[in-house]
């Protein structure tokens, strides 16, 4: 099911406890800032980002989170030692992403989630061997190579965020099952290293010139 609200470019209910949304950042920083309640630590952090794209992205994800949770109360959103965001007093798992003019947020009541949004560009070819192994490159279809590479990148990024630990290599620890290219789809993946062996369900879809991937433990 896809839902649309003022200010939200796209909203999807993944299941009864999980949803994601995209916010197209058309406001200036002051307009976004006025929609938030921030404590001193957050305000201090924002001063370091002032006048940068990261500043708008940070504000955009927090505004979108507030809309999705449908609250006017202060939201205490922190990051753990691995940089994974979490809410201190609201029982939701969360994940943030952003790319150019869009912010993306995913929330779930029952399990960790991860989301990634990327604007599709030929530049992905430069880093292919840094995140895909030969067995994964083998299932990339030449006709849809760039789009499928972005699906793989978004999938690994979403899995990385879902797992939430820094000691994971895209190339060496995240394994994608083979899949054929479609404009939207679902496939499975695994994190394997000396510490963990976890299975994930990954879904993806195209939105205009962007690719979105999201993941949760299977």
């Amino acid at each position: 099911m896809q839902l649309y609200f003022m200010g939200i470019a796209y909203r999807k209910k993944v299941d009864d406890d999980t949803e994601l949304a995209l916010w197209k950042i058309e406001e200036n920083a002051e307009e976004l800032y006025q929609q938030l309640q921030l404590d001193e630590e957050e305000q201090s952090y924002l001063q370091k980002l002032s006048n940068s794209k990261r500043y708008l992205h940070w504000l955009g994800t927090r505004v979108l989170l507030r809309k999705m949770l449908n609250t006017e109360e202060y939201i205490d959103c922190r990051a753990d030692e691995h940089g994974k965001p979490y809410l201190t007093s609201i029982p939701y798992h969360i994940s943030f992403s952003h790319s150019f003019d869009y912010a993306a947020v995913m929330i779930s009541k029952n399990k960790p989630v991860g989301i990634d949004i990327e604007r599709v560009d030929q530049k992905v070819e430069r880093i292919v061997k840094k995140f895909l192994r030969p067995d994964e490159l083998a299932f990339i279809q030449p006709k849809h190579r760039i789009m499928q590479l972005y699906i793989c990148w978004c999938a690994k990024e979403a899995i990385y965020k879902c797992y939430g630990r820094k000691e994971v290599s895209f190339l060496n620890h995240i394994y994608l099952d083979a899949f054929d290219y479609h404009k939207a789809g679902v496939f499975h993946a695994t994190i394997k290293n000396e510490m963990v062996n976890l299975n994930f369900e990954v879904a993806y879809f195209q939105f205009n010139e962007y690719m979105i991937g999201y993941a949760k433990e299977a």
Side-chain angles (χ1 to χ4, degrees):
M1 179 185 296
Q2 299 173 14
L3 305 172
Y4 297 87
F5 297 87
M6 185 177 296
I8 295 179
Y10 180 93
R11 191 168 186 172
K12 179 176 182 176
K13 191 172 180 63
V14 178
D15 57 42
D16 289 343
D17 298 310
T18 309
E19 66 175 322
L20 62 87
L22 308 178
W23 182 280
K24 187 173 184 181
I25 304 173
E26 298 176 306
E27 303 87 349
N28 61 39
E30 183 62 25
E31 289 170 331
L32 291 171
Y33 186 89
Q34 291 300 320
Q35 298 183 59
L36 296 172
Q37 297 172 352
L38 303 175
D39 65 13
E40 291 184 5
E41 183 177 341
E42 290 168 321
Q43 291 176 27
S44 177
Y45 176 76
L46 275 178
Q47 288 178 358
K48 300 175 184 177
L49 302 180
S50 186
N51 298 320
S52 71
K53 194 67 175 179
R54 286 181 61 201
Y55 184 71
L56 285 174
H57 286 155
W58 193 98
L59 292 170
T61 53
R62 272 64 181 184
V63 168
L64 179 53
L65 176 64
R66 176 175 291 276
K67 300 293 185 184
M68 294 175 73
L69 295 175
N70 192 28
T71 180
E72 296 300 321
E73 300 299 319
Y74 171 69
I75 298 175
D76 191 4
C77 180
R78 304 290 170 178
D80 66 16
E81 67 272 23
H82 299 279
K84 184 179 177 67
Y86 68 94
L87 303 177
T88 63
S89 57
I90 303 176
Y92 278 90
H93 299 277
I94 60 173
S95 181
F96 297 147
S97 186
H98 46 75
S99 180
F100 290 87
D101 295 331
Y102 283 91
V105 174
M106 189 171 186
I107 63 175
S108 177
K109 293 179 181 178
N110 58 15
K111 62 174 59 178
V113 291
I115 189 168
D116 188 51
I117 180 171
E118 302 288 343
R119 190 169 74 176
V120 175
D121 190 293
Q122 297 286 333
K123 293 178 182 178
V124 70
E125 288 281 13
R126 301 177 186 173
I127 61 169
V128 167
K129 293 184 179 179
K130 294 183 179 181
F131 73 92
L132 290 182
R133 295 181 308 282
D135 61 300
E136 293 169 327
L137 282 167
F139 63 72
I140 300 297
Q141 299 164 251
K143 184 178 178 180
H144 304 291
R145 180 176 173 84
I146 297 299
M147 299 303 294
Q148 204 168 5
L149 290 177
Y150 268 98
I151 294 169
C152 293
W153 174 266
C154 288
K156 292 200 174 190
E157 182 72 33
I159 290 166
Y160 178 86
K161 291 178 178 180
C162 186
Y163 179 57
R165 298 292 184 270
K166 290 181 178 179
E167 64 276 4
V168 171
S169 161
F170 282 25
L171 182 65
N172 299 315
H173 300 147
I174 302 179
Y175 297 79
L176 304 180
D177 285 3
F179 65 93
D180 291 329
Y181 170 79
H182 300 283
K183 289 187 176 181
V186 179
F187 60 94
H188 290 86
T190 308
I191 287 181
K192 295 179 185 178
N193 60 26
E194 61 277 7
M195 302 291 293
V196 67
N197 188 335
L198 291 174
N199 295 313
F200 293 83
E201 181 181 273
V202 181
Y204 67 89
F205 62 93
Q206 292 175 234
F207 181 81
N208 298 332
E209 68 270 34
Y210 291 81
M211 184 64 69
I212 292 90
Y214 56 96
K216 59 182 179 178
E217 285 189 37

